[in-house]
Amino acid sequence: MSKLNNLRKWLSLEEAAQYLERKIEEQVAVRDVLRFALDGYLTLSVNLQSPKIAKKVTVKKVRMAETANAPEVYVRDNWGVFIGESFSPEREIDFAVPIGSETFSLSGVQDTPLLGIERLFAEEQYCECLNLPKPSRKQDIIRGVTISGGPNGLYQLQHFIDVDTEVDHLYRAASVAGDVNHPAFKGIIDMFNAMKGVSMWDTNAHIRYIPVPTFPDDVYFVARTANLDKLVELLNAAPVTSTPKQSKKTENAQARFIKSLLTVMYGEDMANSPRKHIDGKMAQIRDDLAAKDLPCPSGVTVENWLSDID
């Protein structure tokens, strides 16, 4: 065992894979580390190399119609995520609501529950490792990057709105659609203009901060050695069987049976794309299984099973 890791509190994903490989004496790749995290077996962290502004939040179920009152819905990077063809006013989604108006400064290594766009970022890296299509942004993922404050609750990284740029984007889009004179559009512009005179030094600067719409360029995933050791304990406790590997014919039959059950229970569309109906806290398949206290694999896992059908 490397003595270098004795004083390291956290490791990069590449180093984490090597660390696990030495601990369990099996080959481990970065994709395995990401998969453990996405499946809930490993708590990942993010390294905030420079201080980031954050707000303390609580996650609530909110009707999509209520999200139309939030300015972050209308920034260019979020177009189509909350308001778009799939917009359903009465549908409830998980939404991070700020607790109070106080902002905080966070830096260094922080654990993340993979609830926000950091989960999407992890999924993108996982898909890239396997040359799979990258996932698209979806409404069931909580906006922004979520940080776990332990007993202090959840925090969300914030972005200071560039009002002029966002208003320019909105006017261009509205001009193309012919909506410049629409009352709703004027209300959105008024909401942005009300923030224009607020600087980041004002006492009410919080109104101009929104959840970061994209994963920051200077932030990256790491793994605390303490969390890796917990995973090692879990892996070592898992029973090892010598069951011979199933034939391809058997794997195909099992995959077809799973897909048939999904088709019967949820319809052909969900059976063909089960991942988006499993991942995310509002996913129907996961929620239905949880209601009966039944375990549910990740959407990535199920899609990998079904992709083996010949």
Side-chain angles (χ1 to χ4, degrees), residues 47 49-50 52 121 145 212 214-221:
N47 187 13
Q49 297 188 88
S50 58
K52 304 294 181 186
F121 189 61
V145 173
V212 291
T214 57
F215 198 86
D217 291 335
D218 61 343
V219 176
Y220 57 91
F221 285 124

Side-chain angles (χ1 to χ4, degrees), residues 126-147:
Y126 177 78
C127 290
E128 187 175 348
C129 289
L130 296 175
N131 294 316
L132 297 173
K134 289 187 177 181
S136 59
R137 297 186 68 179
K138 43 199 172 186
Q139 295 162 337
D140 290 329
I141 287 185
I142 294 173
R143 54 204 175 119
V145 173
T146 50
I147 300 295

Side-chain angles (χ1 to χ4, degrees), residues 31 67 79 81 86 120 151 209 216 220 266 277:
R31 64 176 180 269
T67 68
W79 288 1
V81 179
S86 59
L120 185 64
Y209 278 104
Y220 57 91
Y266 296 102
H277 302 288

